[in-house]
Amino acid sequence: MNISMGVFEKMRLAYICRCCGSQDTGVSMKISAQVEHLVKQGINAMAFSICAEDNEYNSNRLIKPILIPGTENPRGIIGKIYREWHVNKAIMNIIPSLNKHDVIYLRIRYPSLKLSRILKQPRACKIVIEYQTIEPSEYRKKGKYWYLLPDILFGNDIRRYTDAIVGVTAEVTQYQVKRAGNPSKPHITIGNGFDVSSAPVRQPPLFTGKDLHILCVAIVHRGHGLDRLLHGIAGYVGPTKVTLHIAGRGAEVDNLLHLAKVLGIIENVVFHGFLKGKDLDMLFNKCHIGIGTLGLYRNGLREGSILKAREYCSRGLPFLYDAIDLDFPPDFPYILHVPADESPIDIEQVLAFAKEVYADPDHPQKMRRYAEEHLDWSVKMRRLKGFLEALVGENPGDINQ
């Protein structure tokens, strides 16, 4: 496994991830955007993607594949251990080539004895871990109890011996710093972003009250809470025809199809499968309202930083949300906050929200401007750059934000 960052005097960043350049997923696009915008900020950054040997790989000069047989879709616990062993090996191989001004950046890592030992060993470079969730709570909610034992055994050590923590919400950051046992550990909260220029501003349809088209673009899982919306549609008896469009695949799709049939609303749900490009643009132009998330609480979280919410804002699509998101002010007029519980979504409330938003024909342009100023990856990575430079001593700024 040959990993080289080249020879540079300024800070270098090695972003080690799993299959981050091989799929058109939100996570892959996020990592690509993070690296690209760090480079634009003047950091010599490169992502190293641990992925299967036969994986089809998207061409990206900033993502170097490390091809390992059988690591993309590992089967069972043994397969996951095998994959994580290779990821940890990649970390071990790159550490000797980095100096005190360099950073290894990791997305949340599975706790293991090997990773704990790596972090405890002397090294010149800094290791930073980005966290997107409170793992034990999420895995309990999902019934993945196998995770809890390694987290109990090694989780505190991993948080303690990493050099800094990045969280996507304040709730996540506070939890991870507490687990580290050191409130002064370098940390920062940076919400997710979006490459705003990568998506066009939509051409919104008219809203007359006759039809309401709702859009969810996602790898669909139970945490999106779409079953709540289906129950809401089933219970609605008004004159408006409400249609949910689901653009994406995922483990929950079959369950939603079955539920729609049981509730007798199959004609109100359209399963488009995975869409991109002009096909996805056309669907955005057809729909009135988007779904951020309606079930984040099912993962044990109150705060969210949902990638699709940023895309909706960038395209100018108002949306529903069940979580607190610090990237949006509480009175943001283009988000309808719904209860974070198992109650059906109130369709009358959604219709009133749509009527209010669509009274302003310029709402897509206003949402776009907000996204450019607050949500674009250039804004997010400017903050991360300052934090990392302070961490390695290149910038005397405040290390904890």
Side-chain angles (χ1 to χ4, degrees):
M1 187 185 300
N2 181 22
I3 298 180
S4 174
M5 290 286 291
V7 179
F8 288 81
E9 293 183 0
K10 292 187 176 181
M11 180 174 66
R12 297 171 294 175
L13 182 140
Y15 197 139
I16 300 178
C17 54
R18 309 182 195 94
C19 298
C20 57
S22 59
Q23 304 170 30
D24 290 318
T25 65
V27 172
S28 292
M29 289 187 284
K30 169 183 175 174
I31 293 172
S32 297
Q34 284 179 304
V35 175
E36 178 183 346
H37 282 279
L38 285 171
V39 169
K40 288 180 179 179
Q41 299 282 348
I43 293 177
N44 175 32
M46 177 72 72
F48 297 92
S49 176
I50 313 299
C51 55
E53 192 173 47
D54 59 350
N55 206 58
E56 292 185 6
Y57 214 81
N58 297 334
S59 176
N60 187 325
R61 64 183 180 81
L62 297 177
I63 300 180
K64 180 177 180 179
I66 307 299
L67 303 177
I68 307 296
T71 56
E72 182 187 4
N73 295 304
R75 295 182 179 180
I77 295 177
I78 299 301
K80 290 182 180 357
I81 292 173
Y82 176 71
R83 180 186 63 186
E84 295 308 303
W85 183 85
H86 281 290
V87 176
N88 290 331
K89 185 177 179 182
I91 298 170
M92 290 178 59
N93 284 352
I94 200 170
I95 284 175
S97 67
L98 302 179
N99 60 43
K100 64 180 182 179
H101 295 293
D102 299 330
V103 173
I104 292 178
Y105 196 88
L106 308 170
R107 279 177 65 83
I108 178 176
R109 303 287 306 115
Y110 288 115
S112 67
L113 176 61
K114 186 65 175 176
L115 181 58
S116 176
R117 287 176 173 172
I118 291 172
L119 292 171
K120 289 178 180 179
Q121 291 174 358
R123 59 181 182 275
C125 67
K126 305 295 185 182
I127 296 181
V128 178
I129 300 182
E130 177 189 296
Y131 291 89
Q132 296 82 40
T133 189
I134 297 174
E135 312 90 307
S137 296
E138 180 171 332
Y139 280 92
R140 284 191 189 96
K141 295 282 186 179
K142 292 181 177 180
K144 296 183 177 180
Y145 299 106
W146 55 266
Y147 173 90
L148 298 177
L149 180 58
D151 183 65
I152 292 170
L153 293 175
F154 310 113
N156 288 352
D157 275 356
I158 288 169
R159 294 163 175 88
R160 182 177 298 116
Y161 291 103
T162 191
D163 294 289
I165 288 171
V166 177
V168 298
T169 70
E171 179 183 27
V172 168
T173 304
Q174 290 163 10
Y175 171 83
Q176 305 300 345
V177 172
K178 184 177 181 181
R179 288 284 304 270
N182 177 12
S184 64
K185 173 177 282 294
H187 61 271
I188 189 172
T189 298
I190 301 177
N192 285 316
F194 185 72
D195 246 334
V196 176
S197 63
S198 69
V201 181
R202 72 194 186 97
Q203 302 297 318
L206 293 175
F207 179 67
T208 63
K210 181 180 179 181
D211 295 282
L212 178 71
H213 293 274
I214 302 175
L215 175 62
C216 179
V217 182
I219 300 176
V220 189
H221 54 76
R222 189 171 177 272
H224 287 107
L226 294 182
D227 54 298
R228 296 182 62 197
L229 183 58
L230 295 190
H231 282 287
I233 293 172
Y236 171 69
V237 294
T240 305
K241 181 179 179 181
V242 181
T243 303
L244 171 62
H245 299 265
I246 300 175
R249 307 184 185 98
E252 187 69 3
V253 168
D254 288 343
N255 294 333
L256 294 172
L257 176 60
H258 175 72
L259 180 60
K261 291 178 180 177
V262 169
L263 294 174
I265 57 168
I266 191 65
E267 71 278 3
N268 297 84
V269 186
V270 183
F271 297 89
H272 294 271
F274 176 75
L275 295 178
K276 63 179 179 178
K278 291 184 178 179
D279 291 334
L280 184 59
D281 296 341
M282 290 174 62
L283 189 56
F284 267 97
N285 290 340
K286 180 178 181 177
C287 293
H288 301 96
I289 301 294
I291 301 296
T293 172
L294 306 176
L296 192 66
Y297 61 92
R298 292 174 175 173
N299 294 336
L301 297 171
R302 294 180 299 104
E303 297 181 6
S305 185
I306 305 302
L307 288 167
K308 283 304 172 186
R310 281 114 183 99
E311 180 174 359
Y312 294 152
C313 189
S314 299
R315 289 179 178 267
L317 179 68
F319 56 94
L320 312 185
Y321 219 160
D322 76 326
I324 300 167
D325 192 321
L326 298 182
D327 274 340
F328 298 98
D331 59 349
F332 193 67
Y334 311 113
I335 294 177
L336 174 61
H337 288 281
V338 300
D341 57 35
E342 293 296 320
S343 61
I345 299 302
D346 184 344
I347 299 301
E348 292 285 4
Q349 186 183 25
V350 177
L351 289 168
F353 172 62
K355 181 179 179 180
E356 181 179 356
V357 171
Y358 279 79
D360 179 5
D362 293 329
H363 71 268
Q365 288 72 29
K366 292 177 180 177
M367 294 181 73
R368 176 68 162 220
R369 284 196 292 273
Y370 183 88
E372 290 171 341
E373 294 172 3
H374 300 278
L375 305 177
D376 192 75
W377 278 120
S378 61
V379 178
K380 303 291 185 179
M381 292 301 97
R382 191 176 304 122
R383 290 191 64 214
L384 182 60
K385 177 191 177 186
F387 175 75
L388 296 177
E389 287 179 339
L391 181 68
V392 300
E394 291 186 1
N395 182 341
D398 184 5
I399 196 66
N400 288 330
Q401 302 179 44

